[in-house]
Amino acid sequence: MDMWLKEGQIEDAAMTYKIKETLVTKKTQYQDLSILDTYAFGRMLVLDGIVQTTIKDEYVYHEMISHIPLFTHPNPKKVLVVGGGDGGAIREVLKHPSVEKAVLCEIDKDVVDECKKFLPEISCALGNSRCEVFIGDGIKYVHEHKNEFDIIIVDSTDPFGAAEGLFGGSFYKEIFECLTEDGIFIAQTETPFYLPDVVKRVYEDAKAVFPVTKLFMAGIPTYPSGFWSFTVGSKKHDPENVDLSNTIDIETKYYTKKLHKACFVLPKFIENLTK
Ligand code: AG3
């Protein structure tokens, strides 16, 4: 019998994946967690039925959510990742030698433990001496650390249910205070194709808090529609107009200096959401 995962984030459309093997499936304190081996995308992390990351396409998301802010900041030393328990963003952040400390604040310890076990390609940097893994609530952590981080990456699940508090104006104000004087914030902000209202609202919420707010896109095959948005809020540095001529070379598969600029050029229907 063929086994398929059907992801139904969107009510009237779904993506399906043929499963080779179920490696783990459990109820954690916060959510249903599965790691599945699939024919098309290799192993994937699924939380509450929603695909979070896969071995085959994770690099797009993790490179873009990390390198856009880190190459925009002239000297990022302290980085906070909220969520992101799979460790993919941390792996990319630690490719930057200027980073002295990267804190991962993930609420669900099981995500970290299972990803360490079954997704070592993604979680491999969590044991790095520059990385501190803190298990706890991101909202509380941000509230309790003022003026501390040069970069804050919000690598959350979708803005419904548990992660809802990680989107919106009141959290962005807390983020602003947790950042240093020229700090930069970035979050994954959903698909403008299926959820234009969410993208618009989140962009406007960030814009009300940060002097520089920019939205960019990346193509992520396993997220609904493949069109995925990220929103950057910055106190000072403009990610689109930053001088990248002297930045170091790091190994990537998706990110390039050219793409760093180009990703901010938006298709008209997405650009309209930022007006
Ligand atoms: N964070 C989740 C991105 C949103 C996915 N949404 C969806 N497939 N409907 C990704 C975690 C990777 N570190």
Side-chain angles (χ1 to χ4, degrees):
M1 191 180 68
D2 284 351
M3 298 278 282
W4 290 78
L5 169 76
K6 175 175 156 204
E7 166 177 330
Q9 187 205 357
I10 308 301
E11 239 170 61
D12 302 322
M15 315 234 280
T16 54
Y17 305 94
K18 191 167 163 186
I19 299 170
K20 203 187 276 184
E21 193 186 347
T22 299
L23 298 165
V24 59
T25 183
K26 68 202 283 189
K27 245 191 195 336
T28 75
Q29 194 185 338
Y30 298 96
Q31 53 208 339
D32 290 328
L33 179 158
S34 302
I35 297 180
L36 311 172
D37 194 4
T38 66
Y39 285 95
F41 286 93
R43 277 159 284 134
M44 59 166 61
L45 170 67
V46 183
L47 297 175
D48 286 336
I50 304 289
V51 176
Q52 300 298 316
T53 195
T54 84
I55 294 292
K56 273 252 174 88
D57 71 346
E58 56 89 9
Y59 61 93
V60 181
Y61 181 96
H62 291 130
E63 288 181 13
M64 293 304 272
I65 206 168
S66 307
H67 301 314
I68 296 287
L70 275 130
F71 277 127
T72 298
H73 196 287
N75 189 20
K77 288 190 181 145
K78 255 191 116 175
V79 179
L80 171 65
V81 178
V82 175
D86 52 72
I90 289 284
R91 183 196 62 203
E92 294 305 312
V93 164
L94 291 178
K95 286 182 181 172
H96 294 255
S98 69
V99 174
E100 292 164 2
K101 189 171 175 195
V103 177
L104 177 83
C105 178
E106 162 65 54
I107 199 162
D108 193 341
K109 182 171 187 295
D110 285 297
V111 173
V112 176
D113 291 346
E114 299 300 341
C115 290
K116 273 189 179 164
K117 218 192 270 172
F118 293 109
L119 303 175
E121 301 88 336
I122 301 176
S123 59
C124 51
L126 290 176
N128 189 297
S129 59
R130 290 184 289 151
C131 172
E132 176 192 325
V133 176
F134 177 84
I135 302 298
D137 180 5
I139 298 177
K140 190 160 174 266
Y141 189 93
V142 165
H143 181 71
E144 286 169 0
H145 293 78
K146 304 275 183 229
N147 196 21
E148 196 172 320
F149 292 95
D150 301 308
I151 310 279
I152 299 178
I153 297 174
V154 179
D155 180 7
S156 71
T157 51
D158 296 328
F160 318 104
E164 211 164 331
L166 298 178
F167 291 79
S170 53
F171 185 52
Y172 298 160
K173 279 190 201 120
E174 298 274 3
I175 294 254
F176 189 93
E177 299 206 342
C178 184
L179 286 167
T180 48
E181 56 167 22
D182 63 346
I184 303 172
F185 146 77
I186 183 166
Q188 73 85 2
T189 49
E190 302 293 308
T191 164
F193 188 81
Y194 287 123
L195 301 172
D197 297 348
V198 172
V199 174
K200 190 175 169 61
R201 177 171 45 84
V202 168
Y203 177 82
E204 281 169 4
D205 285 350
K207 202 168 174 199
V209 173
F210 289 93
V212 184
T213 306
K214 295 267 161 109
L215 187 130
F216 72 85
M217 298 297 300
I220 305 180
T222 55
Y223 290 175
S225 84
F227 270 112
W228 211 255
S229 77
F230 296 83
T231 301
V232 183
S234 176
K235 290 192 180 181
K236 190 166 153 199
H237 311 290
D238 179 347
E240 189 177 2
N241 295 308
V242 61
D243 177 8
L244 297 171
S245 53
N246 291 320
T247 55
I248 51 156
D249 280 327
I250 53 168
E251 219 187 288
T252 56
K253 281 205 270 188
Y254 189 88
Y255 176 91
T256 65
K257 288 185 193 186
K258 253 186 174 170
L259 187 68
H260 184 126
K261 302 293 177 89
C263 68
F264 292 97
V265 179
L266 302 172
K268 195 163 181 183
F269 79 99
I270 303 173
E271 190 181 45
N272 284 342
L273 301 173
T274 66
K275 283 183 174 152

